[in-house]
Structures are given as C-alpha cells and as structure tokens.
Amino acid sequence: MAYVKLEDVVENMLNVGAKKAVLSVKDMLIRGSLAGAFLGYATSLAAVATTQTGLGIAGTIIFPVGLVMIVLRGLELATGNFALIPIAVKDGRAQFNRLIHNWF
C-alpha cells in the first residue's frame, strides 16, 4: 500500500507557502475571485441537494467537491494563506514583508 511520508507533506506545504508569498496582487485577486465562485457554486449546489432530497448527507457529500476543485486548480483562499505562508516565513523560504503584503 502506497503512502506519503510526513516529511514530504511538510516539504510540499513549505514550497506552496513560499510560492503563495510571491504572487502578485493581480494573481491573488484573480485566483481569489475564482475560488469564491467555486465555493459559492458548491454551497448553492449543496443547499439545493439538501433541500431537494431532504437528506443532510447530500449537501455534506457535495460541498467538499468545491473545496477539492479549489485545491486542485491552485486557487487562493485566505485560510490557505493564513496557514501556509507563516510556516514558509518561519522556515526562511519567504520574507516577512511578503507575508504582510499577501495578507493585506
């Protein structure tokens, strides 16, 4: 059975944090807008599925698909930036001023 080592996961998180830190404002706005659209679409679809079927599990199954689409497309959510960029700064792969720039 294949598995991913924890060290590889952490290394990938640090690399992604460093890449997110250097995005331009234009790229952040485009990626953030697209992520918001995907998230809104997933939320609406989950609400409709729950209402139409009367089963809460329908929405519970559908909503994460929107989050998966955001991750697979490499789009920007504030939660990802709040989690990944600080650890890249702590590890020395990103500068603190880029963290502040990205957050504001």
Side-chain angles (χ1 to χ4, degrees):
M1 178 178 209
Y3 65 94
V4 179
K5 294 181 182 178
L6 181 59
E7 295 83 15
D8 295 338
V9 172
V10 172
E11 183 67 27
N12 192 30
M13 290 172 64
L14 291 168
N15 289 335
V16 171
K19 288 178 185 176
K20 284 178 175 283
V22 297
L23 287 176
S24 69
V25 173
K26 176 184 162 189
D27 285 338
M28 284 189 287
L29 289 174
I30 290 171
R31 291 175 183 207
S33 298
L34 288 171
F38 278 126
L39 201 54
Y41 182 69
T43 303
S44 299
L45 189 58
V48 168
T50 301
T51 304
Q52 293 292 322
T53 63
L55 301 171
I57 191 74
T60 306
I61 292 170
I62 292 173
F63 179 73
V65 173
L67 294 175
V68 169
M69 289 170 39
I70 289 169
V71 170
L72 292 179
R73 300 293 305 161
L75 302 176
E76 296 293 309
L77 283 178
T79 52
N81 292 350
F82 293 155
L84 297 175
I85 298 174
I87 62 172
V89 169
K90 176 76 173 155
D91 194 56
R93 298 183 190 205
Q95 297 175 348
F96 183 74
N97 64 340
R98 293 303 302 173
L99 168 92
I100 299 301
H101 177 265
N102 186 285
W103 282 6
F104 291 101

